[in-house]
Amino acid sequence: MKQAGISAFNSSSRRSLAAVLLAGTAMTMAATPAFAQEAEADAPADDNVIIVSGIRGSLAKALDEKRNADSLVEVIQAEDIGKLPDQNLAEVLENITGVQITRTAGVGTGVQIRGTNDNRIEINGVGTVGSGTGRGGISFEDVPASIIAAVEVTKAPTAMTTEGSVGGTINLRTIRPLDLRDPLISFRAQGEYSELSKSITPRISGSFGQKWDVGDGEMGIVVSGNYSKLDSTSFRPRVDRDGGLVENRNATVVRGTSTQLPAARPAAQDFDFVGIQFLNQELENFKYETYNISGSLEWAPSDSLKFYFDGFYNDQTRRQESSRVQGSGVSSLLDFSVPTAFETVDFGTLDGVQLGSIQVASKGTLEATLAADDEDPNLRFSSDTGARLTTNTLFRGGAEFESGRFSARAELSRTDSKTTNPNLSTTVNFINPNGFALTRNQNENPTPFAYDFTGGALTFGINSASPTAPTTAQLLDPANVVLDAVTVGNNKTKNDETAARLDMSLELDDVTGFITSFDWGYRYNKSSTKFDQIRSTFGTGDIRQSPRGTLFADILVPGKSTFGDFDGRELAFRDFLVVDQGLAFSDQAGTLAKLQAALNSTPTGITRLAAGNPLLSDPVSDPGAFFDISETTNAVYGQLNFEFGPVRGNAGLRYVMTNITSLGNQITPGGVALVSTTGKYDELLPRVNLTADLSDQLVARASFGKDINRPDFNDLSTSVNFGTGPNNPVAIGNPGLAPETVTSYDASLSWYFAPAAVISVGVFHKKRKNLFVDQLDPPAVDINGFVDITPPCEGGGIYNPIPDRNVLSNIPGNGLCVGRLTKINDTGSTKQTGVEVAFQYDLSSFEDSIGFASGFGLAANYTYQKFSGGTATNNAAPRGRDIFNAINGIYNDNNFVTYSAVQGLLDFSKHAYNVTAFYEKYGLSARARYTWRSAFRTNDTAGGATLTSTFGFPVVTAARGQLNGSITYDLTDNINIGVEGVNLTKSKIEQYCVNDGALLCFQGLPDRRLTFGASIKF
């Protein structure tokens, strides 16, 4: 059956589809670009099947696809059934030129294509929806690589390509039943060992496929399933230095109308220095349990008609069992605690302005002093016990029809995601029996700390040399902790997308000369997201409503004491108590009831309970945070496909109309008001792709296209979600956000200098308008480091009634002004330019002369990119602005200089490369892949830090490389065994505040994981 035009929608070559999906036609470790092409319609079906196996065959076929391409699509395909090069789909995509990834606890979760996270994710060409309220599509950790036959990334779209991406469209393809040559039965069983979690978890997958002759046609079915568990851990130490300025002993400090004389700073030196503001030791642990099943049914009653139906189901539980041990109230000692060692930190430049250098504390102790405070520094133990329970479904059904020159495809699809987020997180304060007595109503007292950052690591813990240091027994005694905060919730998010499309094509190759066909079509799409916050919180600084741990001792357990396992550090918090995390997940109601009973027994709890207003109620829906947003799009397109001489390609237009309705609640003095806002816009998107065969070995390509990137749904919401942390800003939606537009240009030249070998160089340029940028409006900070505690926050920020004020006010209680975070459109244009280089070669053609060595091969790619432009800036936060001004001798905030920098593109690395060495011969297949990316700015920080804590600017994640590898061996033609490793060299993550290499603020120490197992196929 002819598929001219329609085949481009699948972004795959019909001529080799069976090989693509069954045997694999692309390199398993380093993808080479492949491109969509039209079918050779008259070739018999059996001739279309090209059987290849292993890496070398995959390389040869991938290069053949590239040379016959019309539009830029890069592909990674399974070397065998259920055998993509990595277990995680984000890790798989990292093999592609121009793709970098980010990780959570060592697991790939985010993908940047050409420096952006704004990409579209599809399964078999159908858009997916995620578990949150953004537009990122299905989470990569939700889909196991074992049920995916191929992954393709479209970097240069055609008019037929659905809009909505900046970097590219990622399509996850499953096996197509009618492309099976033989019956398919495969099974794979593996175990994964996580070094830091000290656990082994199972991975089991299987596939079944069969094709039958039915009358004059044929029918086929494929079903694939997977069950897997994953236990991933990372250690994340965090040290905050914002608000840590100690001015020199000769400086007179003025804040507003208040003056601080040098005598008030006994720790002052002859020079300004930055001390410690906050310590946080986080053990981040995620436990995944995933069930997946996908199936496809195809029926072709004749050569001119085919029906198909696809189904995909995912059920994932992702439990978080993380803990944070915090040295809080440290800022109270800034003017009284003298470090024993300093280091010079150069903050570099911001937008060409030199910030300068300052001394920063690098080693010392933090001891309590009554001259400063009788309750600080204090020790807190937090248990972050949340979960994400997500089910995803996707259904696609349609028909392909052909009659003469005309072909058409009609398709209906539906995808949805339902997520529940059970959460029971707690904080207990340690009451040091060796510290100062509780003379007031505070629920904390001092514990001595020591810190040492001189070895390039953020290490801190109990100062065991102090006479007030608690013993292990005291730290683990429930009588020495009190309940300080509880958050219990059960948030619900529902996302869905319904689409219908009709694609048609008319062949014109022998009618109009160089125009081979005309494609046109229509697509309808309706998307919606609904969020309901179901929550109850408790937080206090008052001992009269903080029950002792003895009242809930049966649910207190020692926290994990393995924080030094990654790098052998000696200085760490190892002994602490947390509410049982497993119990908080498996029996949330029972755990909550015990905490409520303990709270109700306190003096304040008794009074509140009698008044019908308990300290901690059962979770209920928060009307102020609810929103329901729907979006409808209608798109039409037309595209001419042409070929003249050595040049072929396509040119077309896509016109998109979008209507959006946002329904949310706003809190008013009179109660809750339902607010509905609407908006609409339309875009015309021209797209052109050209390919020229300059010689038998040289292929040149060029493309031009325009696309749009719509704002995340939560960024359009009028509702407000108040957090529980006193330093966390409140995000305020902006229903007036316009979509970002991106205009892209691509050009490349590929030289196929030998069989299964290529050197390619490509350049790209993007012009982006209406870039989405975060803007922080921080609260004012007085000379004592305190913020306003009453609305309407005239000095800046927004009033949050929930958090305990902690050290941000000298008046105990809840409620204070926090930062206001809003997303806006950058009014300037951002330009992005890059170069991509790829190399691929193996020695298979020298088998007769070098024997076993002919199994070696190499694949590598490199990406360089830069950006410029933009006008929206980040400004230094108050607890950072003082440091930059002190460097220049300014200590009066009436004279402060405002420091700012254009935010630009986040998660954007200037340089990145990927090198894969492989060997395949005599049934042995081995590969080692090293991936590296240069430093990049990001808002993804450790331990919940926000722009307020990072001086007002995104942090910089330092350059990092990671080594993965695998070895497999064919015991027989049907049985294979192997072992794979992730992060073999235990590469760590470092994040710096303000600029790369400036002030080390956060570290990530992720897992090394090993997978072993066997596969059987028939």
Side-chain angles (χ1 to χ4, degrees):
M1 181 174 69
K2 296 180 181 179
Q3 295 296 329
I6 304 303
S7 65
F9 172 76
N10 285 328
S11 298
S12 63
S13 168
R14 296 289 174 147
R15 186 176 61 187
S16 57
L17 190 57
V20 164
L21 295 176
L22 177 58
T25 59
M27 181 180 176
T28 59
M29 281 305 297
T32 59
F35 301 80
Q37 63 188 41
E38 296 185 2
E40 294 182 359
D42 298 327
D46 289 343
D47 293 340
N48 291 346
V49 179
I50 303 174
I51 300 300
V52 296
S53 61
I55 297 174
R56 290 188 296 178
S58 299
L59 285 170
K61 189 56 190 172
L63 293 185
D64 181 63
E65 291 187 29
K66 176 178 180 177
R67 297 184 67 168
N68 291 283
D70 289 335
S71 60
L72 178 58
V73 179
E74 302 207 48
V75 180
I76 297 178
Q77 290 157 344
E79 178 187 349
D80 209 335
I81 299 300
K83 193 179 179 183
L84 281 166
D86 296 280
Q87 300 285 346
N88 173 272
L89 281 175
E91 300 269 1
V92 171
L93 284 160
E94 194 178 27
N95 292 283
I96 291 176
T97 309
V99 174
Q100 295 89 45
I101 73 170
T102 50
R103 297 171 172 86
T104 301
V107 177
T109 53
V111 171
Q112 296 85 51
I113 302 175
R114 292 178 168 176
T116 179
N117 293 288
D118 299 316
N119 306 301
R120 177 177 168 85
I121 303 174
E122 301 176 338
I123 296 178
N124 291 330
V126 175
T128 63
V129 293
S131 57
T133 54
R135 291 187 186 268
I138 193 168
S139 300
F140 288 105
E141 65 267 36
D142 288 2
V143 185
S146 60
I147 68 169
I148 299 300
V151 180
E152 63 183 15
V153 176
T154 301
K155 293 181 178 178
T158 67
M160 192 181 295
T161 307
T162 303
E163 72 286 345
S165 67
V166 176
T169 296
I170 301 168
N171 186 26
L172 311 177
R173 303 202 312 246
T174 59
I175 302 170
R176 306 314 306 161
L178 293 186
D179 293 305
L180 293 174
R181 182 168 182 170
D182 298 305
L184 164 66
I185 300 176
S186 70
F187 177 78
R188 195 178 193 189
Q190 296 176 303
E192 181 170 88
Y193 173 70
S194 300
E195 190 171 90
L196 295 181
S197 301
K198 301 185 185 303
S199 64
I200 297 177
T201 53
R203 291 177 178 270
I204 300 172
S205 62
S207 296
F208 168 80
Q210 180 70 61
K211 183 173 70 173
W212 304 271
D213 290 331
V214 179
D216 294 332
E218 55 186 4
M219 177 180 291
I221 186 173
V222 171
V223 179
S224 298
N226 173 86
Y227 170 76
S228 63
K229 284 187 173 184
L230 173 63
D231 192 348
S232 182
T233 297
S234 70
F235 301 135
R236 304 204 300 175
R238 164 187 169 188
V239 178
D240 288 1
R241 265 74 77 90
D242 60 298
L245 176 65
V246 179
E247 295 85 351
N248 70 78
R249 58 171 55 102
N250 298 313
T252 298
V253 180
V254 178
R255 298 291 184 267
T257 59
S258 300
T259 301
Q260 184 195 59
L261 298 176
R265 303 188 299 276
Q269 306 293 301
D270 292 333
F271 49 85
D272 302 321
F273 74 88
V274 179
I276 310 301
Q277 195 266 348
F278 179 68
L279 301 171
N280 185 58
Q281 173 185 290
E282 181 181 17
L283 186 151
E284 184 182 44
N285 175 257
F286 291 97
K287 300 179 185 297
Y288 298 81
E289 184 175 22
T290 307
Y291 299 85
N292 290 93
I293 187 168
S294 67
S296 297
L297 175 66
E298 292 182 323
W299 174 41
S302 68
D303 289 341
S304 61
L305 180 63
K306 183 173 79 172
F307 299 94
Y308 59 89
F309 177 81
D310 294 343
F312 172 85
Y313 174 80
N314 160 264
D315 186 328
Q316 184 180 84
T317 297
R318 189 189 74 170
R319 293 170 50 189
Q320 180 181 11
E321 294 188 0
S322 302
S323 63
R324 288 175 288 124
V325 183
Q326 303 162 55
S328 186
V330 175
S331 58
S332 298
L333 303 179
L334 283 170
D335 292 330
F336 301 88
S337 180
V338 181
T340 58
F342 298 90
E343 64 175 330
T344 301
V345 170
D346 185 348
F347 281 104
T349 62
L350 287 175
D351 281 0
V353 177
Q354 183 68 42
L355 299 179
S357 302
I358 195 170
Q359 296 295 299
V360 175
S362 61
K363 189 175 183 179
T365 60
L366 299 166
E367 294 282 348
T369 172
L370 287 174
D373 198 339
D374 65 350
E375 59 185 85
D376 294 313
N378 61 79
L379 186 60
R380 298 184 171 189
F381 310 143
S382 293
S383 172
D384 299 321
T385 311
R388 175 171 67 81
L389 313 182
T390 300
T391 59
N392 292 288
T393 59
L394 182 149
F395 300 102
R396 173 180 86 129
E400 296 176 2
F401 169 76
E402 181 179 321
S403 177
R405 299 179 180 275
F406 176 76
S407 59
R409 175 187 208 153
E411 180 177 285
L412 294 173
S413 63
R414 165 82 178 183
T415 179
D416 66 56
S417 172
K418 298 176 182 177
T419 298
T420 302
N421 296 106
N423 176 38
L424 180 52
S425 297
T426 56
T427 296
V428 296
N429 286 357
F430 176 69
I431 307 299
N432 184 5
N434 307 323
F436 299 139
L438 301 179
T439 57
R440 298 179 286 117
N441 290 322
Q442 77 270 22
N443 67 353
E444 55 197 19
N445 74 337
T447 299
F449 302 138
Y451 60 92
D452 185 355
F453 314 142
T454 57
L458 300 176
T459 67
F460 45 85
I462 301 291
N463 179 19
S464 57
S466 171
T468 63
T471 65
T472 295
Q474 290 171 332
L475 287 164
L476 298 178
D477 186 348
N480 292 331
V481 298
V482 297
L483 186 62
D484 177 71
V486 180
T487 297
V488 57
N490 202 31
N491 297 344
K492 297 184 182 299
T493 306
K494 184 179 185 300
N495 300 306
D496 60 69
E497 182 174 298
T498 302
R501 66 181 300 157
L502 177 63
D503 300 286
M504 292 166 284
S505 182
L506 184 65
E507 288 191 359
L508 302 170
D509 52 353
D510 57 353
V511 177
T512 60
F514 71 94
I515 297 178
T516 58
S517 63
F518 175 66
D519 302 333
W520 73 101
Y522 165 76
R523 183 176 185 270
Y524 165 85
N525 190 90
K526 183 174 183 180
S527 303
S528 68
T529 184
K530 181 185 293 185
F531 174 75
D532 189 11
Q533 184 180 73
I534 302 171
R535 186 179 70 172
S536 178
T537 65
F538 162 78
T540 186
D542 193 331
I543 193 65
R544 291 171 296 182
Q545 52 193 31
S546 298
R548 288 275 178 174
T550 50
L551 294 175
F552 53 97
D554 55 336
I555 59 173
L556 286 173
V557 297
K560 294 180 180 179
S561 59
T562 57
F563 204 82
D565 285 4
F566 182 91
D567 57 6
R569 63 182 60 202
E570 295 183 2
L571 190 57
F573 296 118
R574 288 185 170 82
D575 303 305
F576 56 96
L577 290 172
V578 293
V579 171
D580 189 323
Q581 295 168 314
L583 193 64
F585 175 78
S586 63
D587 185 14
Q588 185 190 78
T591 305
L592 175 61
K594 292 183 179 181
L595 295 173
Q596 289 173 319
L599 288 166
N600 291 339
S601 68
T602 63
T604 303
I606 293 172
T607 302
R608 291 274 296 270
L609 187 63
N613 183 26
L615 290 172
L616 179 62
S617 61
D618 292 336
V620 295
S621 178
D622 179 1
F626 168 84
F627 63 83
D628 186 355
I629 300 176
S630 62
E631 176 184 88
T632 301
T633 65
N634 291 273
V636 294
Y637 74 89
Q639 174 178 298
L640 287 173
N641 303 297
F642 52 83
E643 183 172 358
F644 51 93
V647 179
R648 64 188 185 279
N650 53 74
L653 292 172
R654 186 176 187 88
Y655 178 67
V656 185
M657 298 164 286
T658 303
N659 291 273
I660 190 164
T661 301
S662 175
L663 183 67
N665 292 317
Q666 287 186 341
I667 305 299
T668 66
V672 178
L674 189 65
V675 178
S676 178
T677 59
T678 60
K680 63 180 181 179
Y681 50 87
D682 56 86
E683 293 285 347
L684 183 64
L685 308 175
R687 296 168 178 180
V688 180
N689 295 277
L690 297 172
T691 302
D693 296 308
L694 302 181
S695 72
D696 291 341
Q697 293 185 324
L698 288 177
V699 177
R701 299 180 179 87
S703 66
F704 162 79
K706 188 175 181 181
D707 213 323
I708 60 172
N709 176 36
R710 299 182 176 96
D712 287 343
F713 288 117
N714 55 296
D715 291 329
L716 297 170
S717 167
T718 58
S719 301
V720 180
N721 182 354
F722 289 108
T724 59
N727 290 302
N728 295 339
V730 173
I732 304 297
N734 179 4
L737 277 176
E740 177 187 351
T741 60
V742 55
T743 304
S744 301
Y745 305 84
D746 278 270
S748 66
L749 181 65
S750 299
W751 177 34
Y752 303 89
F753 60 92
V758 67
I759 296 176
S760 66
V761 178
V763 295
F764 63 89
H765 178 78
K766 294 178 182 290
K767 185 175 181 181
R768 302 172 63 174
K769 295 183 179 180
N770 292 331
L771 191 72
F772 306 133
V773 178
D774 288 329
Q775 296 283 276
L776 176 67
D777 174 27
V781 180
D782 68 16
I783 198 167
N784 299 305
F786 299 149
V787 300
D788 193 356
I789 60 173
T790 59
C793 303
E794 295 88 344
I798 184 174
Y799 184 75
N800 185 346
I802 295 177
D804 174 22
R805 294 166 187 156
N806 204 328
V807 297
L808 296 179
S809 175
N810 60 347
I811 301 175
N814 294 72
L816 74 167
C817 294
V818 301
R820 177 198 298 261
L821 192 65
T822 306
K823 200 173 291 291
I824 65 168
N825 289 119
D826 192 333
T827 57
S829 296
T830 299
K831 296 180 180 179
Q832 181 183 345
T833 302
V835 178
E836 297 175 338
V837 181
F839 171 82
Q840 184 175 290
Y841 186 63
D842 71 71
L843 301 176
S844 59
S845 60
F846 299 98
E847 183 172 9
D848 292 340
S849 57
I850 61 176
F852 79 95
S854 64
F856 286 104
L858 181 70
N861 58 66
Y862 166 76
T863 302
Y864 166 81
Q865 54 186 351
K866 64 178 182 179
F867 71 87
S868 61
T871 58
T873 61
N874 296 121
N875 298 317
R879 297 191 321 202
R881 188 163 54 233
D882 56 347
I883 294 175
F884 303 141
N885 278 274
I887 291 174
N888 293 285
I890 304 173
Y891 304 100
N892 184 335
D893 67 351
N894 296 301
N895 302 321
F896 272 5
V897 175
T898 299
Y899 291 88
S900 62
V902 173
Q903 177 176 291
L905 302 180
L906 299 181
D907 300 315
F908 181 97
S909 288
K910 192 172 184 178
H911 303 274
Y913 67 81
N914 188 327
V915 179
T916 300
F918 65 89
Y919 181 84
E920 184 181 53
K921 202 168 181 64
Y922 310 121
L924 177 68
S925 179
R927 63 194 175 211
R929 175 169 64 91
Y930 184 77
T931 303
W932 181 90
R933 66 182 298 185
S934 61
F936 59 92
R937 295 188 179 275
T938 183
N939 283 328
D940 182 11
T941 60
T946 64
L947 287 173
T948 304
S949 303
T950 60
F951 301 87
F953 302 101
V955 297
V956 179
T957 299
R960 177 180 183 270
Q962 179 165 308
L963 178 65
N964 297 350
S966 68
I967 299 176
T968 66
Y969 182 69
D970 294 328
L971 292 178
T972 70
D973 290 342
N974 304 104
I975 301 175
N976 177 274
I977 59 174
V979 61
E980 304 171 32
V982 175
N983 195 22
L984 293 173
T985 58
K986 298 176 66 174
S987 176
K988 63 184 178 182
I989 299 166
E990 294 183 336
Q991 292 185 318
Y992 292 87
C993 286
V994 184
N995 273 309
D996 188 24
L999 184 63
L1000 181 62
C1001 293
F1002 316 109
Q1003 287 185 306
L1005 313 176
D1007 234 342
R1008 173 165 55 193
R1009 305 195 310 276
L1010 299 175
T1011 303
F1012 52 91
S1015 60
I1016 302 173
K1017 63 178 181 178
F1018 301 96

